[in-house]
Amino acid sequence: MNVVTERIIQLGMLVFILGGWQLGVTAGFIDVFFFPAPLDIFNQIVRWIVDPGFYKHVSITLTETVLGYIIGTGLGVAAGVWLGLSRSAARILDPFIKGLNAIPRVVLAPIFVLWLGLGLWSKVALAVTLVFFITFFNAMQGVREVNPVVLANAKILGAKRSELLRHVYFPAAASWILSSLRTSVGFAVVGAIIGEYLGSSAGLGYLIAQAEGNFDAVGVFAGIIILAVFVLIIDRILDVLEGRLIKWRPNAAEERAA
């Protein structure tokens, strides 16, 4: 099955689902209070898009997501690589890390609001906590999965610690780290949205919370769809980044040919 056929099937499935949904609403089988018509949701999205004030909300949520994503990823990778290389430090910090990881992130949101206020940084802090542990555990495991033969050969050739990090550890952990980057995108968005739910005057989470408070299911679904598209765009960017950074990995066609 080629790519064109797969895309046609995907489009057909989307048309079938949305068309059935719309017909169900029109026929009265689906209660619009809980599941509004797809056309109404689409019209709401269009009204938001043509409204210049809507982009203020998008930019705020985008800023919170990107900052939380970058900071959480940076801290997670750095800590993961450090503890992946230092087994003794990992054993010492293991109970503390497990304890922090066991805390539900949502309960931290009110604490961040008390510490950092209702502004940007309380949302960023929550997003960081959601992203950090995903990248941390993947980076640590990726470093520990380094082929010992490759590592020993690099040391025999006189590679220094910085050279080992650059040419051995990071390439070996790249797949682990990039897979965590893909997963943590959604968590960064979740952190920003939950923070906006708890208290904000702008952002996509604010729009969704406002619609929910007015029992406006159309606005809630429209906000969810916009967030989903937002995450898909970032995921596509990560696809391109992964293709550039991991050129040595064979693609699916090469694997089938082998």
Side-chain angles (χ1 to χ4, degrees):
M1 186 180 296
N2 57 36
V3 177
V4 176
T5 305
E6 291 174 354
R7 295 293 180 267
I8 293 174
I9 294 174
Q10 290 172 345
L11 182 60
M13 292 175 62
L14 181 63
V15 171
F16 176 78
I17 293 171
L18 294 180
W21 185 354
Q22 183 68 41
L23 288 174
V25 170
T26 304
F29 295 119
I30 298 177
D31 190 344
V32 294
F33 182 80
F34 299 105
F35 295 96
L39 287 178
D40 293 336
I41 298 173
F42 175 76
N43 291 333
Q44 178 63 64
I45 293 174
V46 171
R47 285 195 294 270
W48 278 347
I49 291 175
V50 298
D51 180 11
F54 170 71
Y55 295 96
K56 173 188 175 183
H57 298 285
V58 174
S59 64
I60 289 174
T61 301
L62 177 63
T63 302
E64 294 165 353
T65 301
V66 170
L67 286 175
Y69 185 69
I70 293 175
I71 296 172
T73 298
L75 293 176
V77 170
V81 171
W82 171 48
L83 294 183
L85 295 175
S86 178
R87 298 298 181 100
S88 59
R91 288 192 296 270
I92 293 171
L93 297 176
D94 181 67
F96 301 100
I97 293 171
K98 289 180 178 178
L100 291 173
N101 188 41
I103 298 174
R105 310 296 187 273
V106 177
V107 302
L108 296 175
I111 297 176
F112 290 140
V113 171
L114 289 174
W115 289 350
L116 304 172
L118 294 173
L120 173 78
W121 290 106
S122 60
K123 286 77 173 176
V124 173
L126 183 59
V128 168
T129 61
L130 288 166
V131 172
F132 171 81
F133 284 100
I134 298 173
T135 54
F136 166 74
F137 286 116
N138 277 272
M140 184 171 63
Q141 189 63 34
V143 168
R144 291 180 176 179
E145 291 292 330
V146 171
N147 190 322
V149 176
V150 175
L151 183 61
N153 289 338
K155 290 180 178 179
I156 290 172
L157 293 173
K160 299 178 181 178
R161 189 175 182 83
S162 60
E163 294 171 334
L164 289 175
L165 283 172
R166 180 180 177 183
H167 298 293
V168 179
Y169 287 113
F170 278 117
S175 294
W176 291 81
I177 294 172
L178 286 173
S179 66
S180 69
L181 295 184
R182 187 183 305 279
T183 305
S184 59
V185 169
F187 285 94
V189 176
V190 168
I193 297 301
I194 290 176
E196 291 172 355
Y197 254 86
L198 289 176
S200 66
S201 59
L204 294 177
Y206 167 77
L207 290 180
I208 297 174
Q210 206 174 33
E212 180 186 350
N214 295 326
F215 297 99
D216 178 16
V218 173
V220 173
F221 274 85
I224 291 172
I225 291 173
I226 288 174
L227 287 175
V229 171
F230 173 65
V231 174
L232 287 174
I233 291 173
I234 298 178
D235 188 70
R236 179 55 185 164
I237 294 172
L238 290 176
D239 276 338
V240 176
L241 179 63
E242 184 176 358
R244 291 180 178 274
L245 291 179
I246 310 183
K247 296 182 179 297
W248 47 264
R249 188 173 64 184
N251 56 36
E254 291 174 344
E255 289 177 347
R256 284 194 296 267

